[in-house]
Amino acid sequence: EKSPRIYTREEVKSHSSLETRIWVTLGCEVFDVTEFVDLHPGGPSKLMLAAGGPLEPFWALYAVHDQAHVREILAQYKVGELSPEDKAPSTLKTSDPYADDPVRHPALKVNSQRPFNAEPPPELLTENYITPNPIFFTRNHLPVPNLKPETYRLHVVGPPGCQSLSLSLDDLYQFPKHEVTVTLQCAGNRRSEMTQFKEVKGLEWNAGAISTARWAGARLCDVLAKAGHQLRETEAHVCFEGLDSDPTGTAYGASIPLARAMDPEADVLLAYEMNGQPLPRDHGFPVRVVVPGVVGARHVKWLGKVSVEPEESYSHWQRRDYKGFSPSVDWDTVDFDSAPSIQELPVQSAITEPKDGETVQSGEVTIKGYAWSGGGRAIVRVDVSLDGGLTWQVAELDGEEQRPRKAWAWRLWQLQAPVPAGKKELNIVCKAVDDSYNVQPDTVAPIWNLRGVLSNAWHRVHVRVTP
Ligand code: HEM
Ligand code: MTE
């Protein structure tokens, strides 16, 4: 037998388009799967996510590949093996404050590497009702702290006259464990659509700055009660501080009203588990705040301190960011004190399949997406149009039923619709309605704001139809 041809990871990486052919690796074996792309039962676009790199991180998400017949299919496409020195991960420079950041899943679309900001590609986002941890969107403002669970302490500042608490992880585990499925959305989700209309200041996000997980931890109201807090001061705020800090020592911070924190029905958690696992480092290990129905920015990660204060958090991210303004306000005229901080988010929906610019088959088209509203408001309907909003069809809602006033998690939806005969292209649009009958605005223009937040206009996808 001939000895196998040897390739480097760099060489494999250069084969990531149909022009250069599609190579992937599994273990130390290299495969040219170009001929299989269109045959893939999970669809070509999903296979292409792994093009030029390892299959393992993707197959770990989809156990359907954990079968002998899948290996047999792959084996037919073997072209060689990886060189032995290429199996070890490359070493990182240590002077870099981000050098200690965790390793991320290759499917994530990176909007900024340092600090790390990334979203799952649309074709994976709605594949599962619960977003798998490795592809949950990540929004970091600073390097990821490396916290040791043994020495971790959460400082809870008690009201005047009471004792403050210093809680270890074990102490937190002693509180009743509360579990809740919550969708987290960044205020900047879909910012790129605002940018297309008119430039904004902020990281580009497509429609993937939103994800859903099952969170478990102690209820904030139980921990505050233990520290002696009661809901007397309705005007007060609960301030949170992260253990991530910039070179000046300023930590990430945010706050929520005390009334929400103390309401047992609001399900505010100090979470230590995400989908049955300890929190991944990117998502706040070992403890983060989860505030159902509220903008992502208040879900403070790597939580170090909780205190009840007469005023909102003085953090930059509470007072000088994450606020909405009129389209007429620019950076010369903006007065951040004039607008309230974003807490509950407005109704939102987006199309994840097909993708903008894709070509679909004539006959029938399947359209998929998500819908969610803030404040526990349930999604009652998603309308979909194939003709830019002239005529509408009602999509089928999937995913878990929502409880009134406690609809913390999204609904996934889909619509199978005949493609009208003779159509060469489709202008697909979606819009959702929540149970307060809030709707999404039809265009970006009237909601444009200088920071590009709260982008929830009708989502539009333009596709061509094969004749
Ligand atoms: C399904 C092979 C890459 C996502 C399948 C199935 C096969 C297969 C044979 C059907 C399994 C069954 O139902 O018994 C392959 C091969 C790949 C590859 C040979 C690499 C060359 C990927 C990647 C992803 C992916 C990179 C994800 C990012 C899926 C999904 C399904 C699937 C979601 C299920 C589709 C459904 O439930 O209808 N794949 N796959 N595959 N694959 Fe892959
Ligand atoms: N908490 C800390 N300590 N530091 C941060 O940078 N980012 C916030 C919030 N909590 C942030 C944080 C923002 S803006 C969002 S949208 C969410 O975390 C994102 O959470 P995720 O990365 O787990 O998706």
Side-chain angles (χ1 to χ4, degrees):
E1 234 184 55
K2 279 206 309 188
S3 56
R5 296 206 50 179
I6 301 297
Y7 299 104
T8 64
R9 283 209 186 279
E10 275 309 305
E11 279 173 282
V12 175
K13 205 172 160 187
S14 69
H15 293 277
S16 59
S17 68
L18 288 171
E19 294 74 55
T20 55
R21 303 190 68 79
I22 309 298
W23 289 16
V24 294
T25 65
L26 187 71
C28 58
E29 295 181 303
V30 179
F31 308 89
D32 177 343
V33 293
T34 315
E35 306 307 325
F36 182 70
V37 173
D38 281 332
L39 305 175
H40 179 226
S45 67
K46 291 206 181 66
L47 190 155
M48 288 299 286
L49 292 166
L55 286 167
E56 285 89 341
F58 297 92
W59 283 11
L61 297 177
Y62 299 103
V64 50
H65 300 97
D66 221 356
Q67 309 182 67
H69 83 267
V70 178
R71 302 294 164 113
E72 279 160 28
I73 292 173
L74 191 62
Q76 302 167 38
Y77 300 109
K78 181 166 173 177
V79 290
E81 293 186 1
L82 282 173
S83 61
E85 63 270 26
D86 241 21
K87 285 172 220 158
S90 57
T91 46
L92 293 157
K93 278 192 288 168
T94 47
S95 58
D96 172 2
Y98 292 94
D100 195 29
D101 267 20
V103 174
R104 275 86 181 211
H105 197 280
L108 288 169
K109 298 292 170 215
V110 179
N111 299 322
S112 146
Q113 192 66 47
R114 293 141 200 260
F116 189 73
N117 289 285
E119 61 189 296
E123 55 273 58
L124 292 191
L125 183 57
T126 50
E127 196 65 31
N128 295 288
Y129 176 71
I130 297 290
T131 317
N133 289 353
I135 59 163
F136 198 98
F137 92 90
T138 301
R139 200 310 173 218
N140 296 340
H141 292 83
L142 298 162
V144 177
N146 199 344
L147 304 173
K148 298 283 158 273
E150 316 81 64
T151 53
Y152 171 79
R153 291 292 179 279
L154 173 63
H155 298 285
V156 184
V157 181
C162 291
Q163 276 223 310
S164 293
L165 307 174
S166 171
L167 302 174
S168 68
L169 270 181
D170 274 336
D171 296 333
L172 270 179
Y173 299 153
Q174 302 313 310
F175 290 90
K177 183 174 175 179
H178 200 72
E179 278 192 64
V180 43
T181 307
V182 176
T183 295
L184 217 128
Q185 183 183 208
C186 184
N189 190 31
R190 301 183 55 201
R191 176 179 282 136
S192 60
E193 292 160 64
M194 280 203 175
T195 312
Q196 275 163 28
F197 174 72
K198 188 173 145 194
E199 202 184 326
V200 302
K201 221 181 249 178
L203 270 178
E204 285 283 297
W205 290 102
N206 292 311
I210 183 168
S211 299
T212 299
R214 184 128 183 101
W215 307 92
R219 285 197 304 196
L220 177 59
C221 59
D222 294 341
V223 173
L224 288 177
K226 169 107 181 183
H229 286 289
Q230 291 162 353
L231 185 56
R232 323 181 204 95
E233 269 290 353
T234 46
E235 293 298 300
H237 300 265
V238 182
C239 299
F240 307 116
E241 254 181 51
L243 292 164
D244 49 338
S245 56
D246 70 12
T248 72
T250 311
Y252 184 87
S255 62
I256 61 170
L258 179 64
R260 183 181 290 276
M262 293 300 283
D263 178 3
E265 290 299 312
D267 292 324
V268 182
L269 296 187
L270 304 181
Y272 45 74
E273 270 180 30
M274 181 176 179
N275 297 330
Q277 303 290 318
L279 295 183
R281 280 185 61 208
D282 263 330
H283 302 291
F285 182 83
V287 177
R288 82 174 303 167
V289 187
V290 171
V291 198
V294 163
V295 66
R298 315 299 166 217
H299 300 227
V300 174
K301 306 192 271 191
W302 314 291
L303 186 64
K305 185 178 160 193
V306 174
S307 61
V308 179
E309 312 280 352
E311 301 272 344
E312 279 189 272
S313 165
Y314 279 90
S315 154
H316 170 86
W317 293 281
Q318 188 75 19
R319 303 218 167 204
R320 292 286 170 270
D321 200 353
Y322 299 114
K323 294 187 171 189
F325 295 96
S326 162
S328 63
V329 171
D330 61 29
W331 288 100
D332 294 328
T333 56
V334 64
D335 171 12
F336 270 97
D337 292 327
S338 70
S341 61
I342 301 170
Q343 294 281 340
E344 295 182 359
L345 284 169
V347 61
Q348 176 68 288
S349 70
I351 299 159
T352 53
E353 253 176 77
K355 283 200 296 182
D356 196 46
E358 214 174 276
T359 302
V360 301
Q361 303 292 317
S362 57
E364 198 175 57
V365 61
T366 301
I367 302 157
K368 286 193 191 182
Y370 63 75
W372 180 77
S373 189
R377 288 177 288 275
I379 293 298
V380 296
R381 203 180 75 231
V382 173
D383 298 322
V384 178
S385 172
L386 301 186
D387 53 15
L390 293 174
T391 61
W392 298 94
Q393 301 176 61
V394 176
E396 187 186 318
L397 297 179
D398 301 331
E400 288 172 17
E401 283 293 318
Q402 294 177 313
R403 285 175 300 163
R405 297 185 6 265
K406 292 183 65 149
W408 306 137
W410 63 13
R411 294 302 296 261
L412 301 184
W413 55 264
Q414 59 175 314
L415 176 78
Q416 253 143 313
V419 176
K423 281 267 181 195
K424 293 199 174 62
E425 51 180 21
L426 300 175
N427 287 309
I428 308 174
V429 184
C430 78
K431 64 183 178 79
V433 183
D434 74 17
D435 62 2
S436 300
Y437 284 101
N438 290 309
V439 295
Q440 301 176 240
D442 56 351
T443 57
V444 168
I447 56 164
W448 183 94
N449 59 85
L450 73 176
R451 198 62 175 89
V453 290
L454 306 166
S455 182
N456 72 331
W458 298 358
H459 192 224
R460 296 160 190 270
V461 162
H462 176 257
V463 297
R464 268 183 288 277
V465 182
T466 53

